[in-house]
Amino acid sequence: MTITPEEKLASLGLVLPTAPTPLAQYRPARLVGNTLYLSGQIPRNPDGSFILGRLGRDISIEEGYEAARNVGLQLLSVIKSVVGELSHVEAIAKVNGMVNAEPDFLDHAKVINGCSDILVEILGEAGYHARSAVGMGSLPLGVAVEIEAIVAVKP
């Protein structure tokens, strides 16, 4: 018996956050044919405030990992808001993770693993993806990470 992504979330005691409202003139996602382009998402606390900080200065790799995991759940929420059920995901094709980091910080991949790990945990084989994990001199609002994705959706 196959377990759905929504059942997997429930079995882990996870609830997807409400898909965030855009902070500027863009859409959280754009479906073009069977390709869903997700805008960059940023980590939020349960009260809606942002998870701020700079890796290598204000927050640890573990805290950055959790912030990226938080964004992974938001990406899943945005996907679900567009396609209805996460089982409609054919594959997460590409993830681009940006880390707000000090110039000498070297563990960007360890931080973005938080997002990658939750996508695979929830979607299984469909969650594996190509990925970039890069450092940035700053990110909007001072958030720790911003992550965007490209998703193949079943026709």
Side-chain angles (χ1 to χ4, degrees):
M1 182 170 141
T2 304
I3 184 169
T4 68
E6 284 80 3
E7 290 168 337
K8 182 66 175 178
L9 282 162
S11 76
L12 295 171
L14 297 173
V15 176
L16 291 180
T18 302
T21 303
L23 299 174
Q25 187 70 339
Y26 64 91
R27 294 189 177 158
R30 182 71 177 208
L31 184 62
V32 179
N34 292 335
T35 303
L36 181 62
Y37 297 88
L38 301 178
S39 295
Q41 297 295 316
I42 57 180
R44 297 170 190 255
N45 291 303
D47 67 1
S49 64
F50 301 109
I51 297 173
L52 307 176
R54 204 162 161 78
L55 276 290
R57 184 181 72 195
D58 307 315
I59 62 174
S60 68
I61 292 170
E62 294 76 19
E63 291 167 318
Y65 176 95
E66 289 301 322
R69 185 174 170 88
N70 173 294
V71 173
L73 290 171
Q74 285 188 59
L75 290 169
L76 290 170
S77 178
V78 173
I79 294 167
K80 187 172 173 63
S81 74
V82 174
V83 301
E85 294 179 13
L86 294 174
S87 58
H88 292 154
V89 171
E90 182 175 324
I92 304 294
K94 173 79 181 194
V95 167
N96 183 28
M98 297 159 274
V99 179
N100 187 357
E102 288 293 297
D104 62 348
F105 184 77
L106 303 176
D107 290 316
H108 308 86
K110 289 180 183 176
V111 171
I112 301 303
N113 280 346
C115 179
S116 295
D117 289 349
I118 194 69
L119 293 175
V120 171
E121 193 172 353
I122 301 306
L123 298 173
E125 186 62 33
Y128 284 99
H129 50 271
R131 184 181 88 177
S132 297
V134 298
M136 299 290 177
S138 67
L139 286 173
L141 307 170
V143 296
V145 297
E146 180 174 352
I147 305 171
E148 62 185 29
I150 301 170
V151 180
V153 178
K154 294 176 183 173

